[in-house]
Every structure is written in C-alpha cells, then in structure tokens.
Amino acid sequence: MVSFNKRETILLYQVITILGQTLVYGIYLSLISILTYVMTGNGLETQTHRIVFAVMWFMFALSTVYWVSFVVFIFWTIVAWFSTLDPFTHNPPGWLSVFDTVLLINYIITDGVVVWRTWVLCADQSRAVLMIPVVTLIINFLFYATAVGVRAALFIAPGGLKAHRKFARIINDAEAGNLGLSLLTNVLATSIIAYKAWTHRKSLSEVFGHKTSPASRILSLLIESGMLYVVIGVFSLVSLFIHLPKRTLADVFQPVAVQLAGMYPIAVLLLVRHRAANDTSSHTFSYVINISSEQRSHVEPMAFVPGPTPLSRSQTKIDKTGPQSTSVHLAFGSMVELGDMDASKDGR
C-alpha cells in the first residue's frame, strides 16, 4: 500500500480539487456563454433581464478569479515541491483563505434567485409561508458576513489565525451555518413550488381530466433541479464532518461546490428555455384547452419569470389577451396561454 507524508497528502488533495474545479468551471464557462448569447440576442429589454444578466456575470467573475488564484497557487506549490524553496508552501496563503470564504456569496445569491423565483411562481400563496425562506436567507447572510468579517480581520491581525485560534471556531461555525441555512432555504423553496405544482395538476385533472401542461412540465423541471441542488447541499454539509488524513472532505469538495452553486441558476434558466422551446417552435407559444368562464375560476394560475414588463401580483395571475384567456409567463418573456374555446369536455 502506498503511503504519503503530510506534504504529499495535502498536495494530492489540492490536485484533485483543482481538477474538479477545472471540470466544473469549463461547464460553467460554456453555460455563461450560451446565456449571454440568448439574453443579449433578446436585447435585455426589461430591467429584470438586465439585473439577472448582471448578477450571473458577477458570480461568474468571482468564480473565475477564484479558479485562476487556485491554479496559480497549485502551480507554485508544485514548483516548490521540486525546488524545495519553501517547505511550508503547501499551506494556502492567507488571502486565498479569505477569498475562499468570500466566494460563499455564490450560495447567498443563488438562494436569493431561488427565493425570488418562488415568490414569482407562488404569488397567490400565503405570504406567511413565502416569508419563511426569506427569513432563512437573511439569517444566512448574517452568518456569511460574520465568517467574512472574522476571516478578514484575522488576515490583517498580526500572527493571523495561528495567533488567534479561538476565532477559528467562529469561522467554522459560521461557514457551517451558511451551508446549513442554504440547504434549509432551498428545501423550503422547493417544497413551496412542489405544493404549487400539486395544486396546479389537481386543478387540471378536476377540470380537464388530464394532469400535464407546458406549465406543469416547467414546474416539474424546477422541482427536479431543486432536488438535485438540495442533494449537493446535503453533501456539502455532510462533507464538513467526514475526516480524511490531514483534512476533511469539505476541503476538497467545497471549492468545487461553490462553482456548482454559481452555475446552478444559469443551468435552470437555460433548461426552462429549452423545455419551453420543445413545446413550440416560436418564442411565444400557446397551450389551448377547452375551458369555460366557470371552469377557468378553478384552474390554478401560474407565473414564472416576469415577461416584457414587470408584473404585479394581480397581473401574474390573469393576463387577458382575448376573450376568456389566461396567460402564463415563462423565462425570457415566453408565455403559455390558456385560451378559451368550447366548454364541452367532449372536445378535449
């Protein structure tokens, strides 16, 4: 059995981490390029689109700087390995540890996007329920600010973390709290959307005898992607407590996880657009069903990303574009239209 000393073990972890980061970053780069092409092609016509575009690029810029910094650090570690210039070079520099904590903002922003999407989708649900993930998001930001503040203060303070070991527990607890609250926020948001999908499918079944529609398929996609992100969150949290020789699993996985957190909103936006495109060949598409004015009152309204203009709560519920019709706005201004035809079920 091959055995490694401390320095060899840590170098092995760092190489594995940078390989994972590079793989995920390559996917991230491809997704941000596609998103840029799609959104700029549409002209970024609304303020919502411009804000989303700017936020996605801000997260990508942070991830890029972090990835480049890690590559440079690994390069000099390997150089020192062969030249033995610095026997302690396997220890990450203080500024990289600070930036590692700063990059946790990807979790906060991604959670913010998820919460915002939940409010848009479920605007007709209980405000008290919708406020729960908002509260967890705010508390999470306080944990994040604590971790960044303490880490930055120790970087400036003489002696750094070695001279102030008692603050290491604060940083560890704050970062663990960040991951735990991020997981809780996503579980809550995904659960709310799942309930919305259930009520929508139930109303479709009661009125029309079937449970699928373009809107329900989009909701299913959001739920599935949300569950996948929750699984990543669970693994991130659990990795803190899995000890490896000289390190924990989190030291290897977290640099990759923050990249995954950054690209998650982009992946969901593109998947939603792709799913919408599969339902129609045009940017605005219609799902026409037989519905009377009495039946329409029993169908769960639905709204995704606001369309060409910001929508109020009442506007997201019903947008009349013709006699007895209801519109459902999707990402990038796409729309599912619930139009009025015969009320007869035999015409389904």
Side-chain angles (χ1 to χ4, degrees), residues 66-338:
Y66 182 66
W67 176 75
V68 170
S69 300
F70 216 96
V71 168
V72 172
F73 169 65
I74 294 297
F75 172 77
W76 285 113
T77 299
I78 295 174
V79 169
W81 175 271
F82 291 102
S83 63
T84 63
L85 293 175
D86 181 2
F88 300 103
T89 191
H90 57 268
N91 291 321
W95 60 266
L96 188 60
S97 298
V98 174
F99 197 71
D100 191 32
T101 304
V102 169
L103 200 64
L104 291 175
I105 192 65
N106 275 7
Y107 288 112
I108 304 294
I109 296 175
T110 296
D111 294 347
V113 171
V114 170
V115 171
W116 166 73
R117 184 180 66 198
T118 303
W119 272 74
V120 173
L121 275 167
C122 309
D124 60 322
Q125 302 299 309
S126 168
R127 287 298 179 94
V129 172
L130 291 174
M131 280 300 299
I132 297 175
V134 174
V135 172
T136 59
L137 179 64
I138 293 173
I139 297 174
N140 194 10
F141 179 79
L142 296 178
F143 273 89
Y144 167 78
T146 300
V148 172
V150 174
R151 180 78 75 176
L154 291 177
F155 176 67
I156 299 172
L161 186 59
K162 292 182 179 180
H164 304 83
R165 285 291 181 183
K166 60 183 179 180
F167 290 102
R169 180 63 182 271
I170 297 176
I171 295 174
N172 292 337
D173 290 347
E175 291 181 352
N178 174 265
L179 294 176
L181 285 168
S182 176
L183 174 62
L184 178 59
T185 300
N186 281 275
V187 168
L188 291 170
T190 302
S191 299
I192 293 171
I193 294 175
Y195 175 76
K196 178 69 176 183
W198 177 77
T199 56
H200 177 66
R201 289 167 62 89
K202 182 180 178 182
S203 64
L204 285 177
S205 178
E206 290 176 351
V207 178
F208 311 114
H210 58 82
K211 298 181 179 181
T212 61
S213 70
S216 65
R217 287 192 287 271
I218 296 295
L219 279 174
S220 296
L221 176 61
L222 294 176
I223 295 168
E224 291 164 4
S225 60
M227 291 176 64
L228 178 60
Y229 189 66
V230 166
V231 170
I232 295 174
V234 170
F235 188 79
S236 297
L237 187 60
V238 172
S239 68
L240 293 171
F241 307 99
I242 299 178
H243 293 276
L244 303 174
K246 314 301 181 183
R247 288 289 187 272
T248 65
L249 183 59
D251 294 315
V252 178
F253 181 69
Q254 284 306 320
V256 180
V258 292
Q259 302 278 14
L260 291 171
M263 75 178 190
Y264 169 70
I266 299 176
V268 172
L269 284 173
L270 293 176
L271 284 172
V272 167
R273 179 178 175 84
H274 178 70
R275 176 63 62 86
N278 286 339
D279 287 320
T280 181
S281 59
S282 63
H283 185 60
T284 298
F285 61 99
S286 297
Y287 170 64
V288 182
I289 55 179
N290 299 333
I291 180 169
S292 66
S293 57
E294 291 80 10
Q295 290 171 319
R296 183 161 63 91
S297 65
H298 297 290
V299 178
E300 279 288 316
M302 192 99 22
F304 292 81
V305 178
T309 57
L311 300 176
S312 65
R313 180 174 177 178
S314 60
Q315 288 174 312
T316 58
K317 287 186 177 181
I318 297 178
D319 176 17
K320 293 187 177 179
T321 57
Q324 308 297 335
S325 65
T326 303
S327 296
V328 179
H329 294 276
L330 297 175
F332 306 111
S334 298
M335 182 176 66
V336 174
E337 183 175 306
L338 306 180

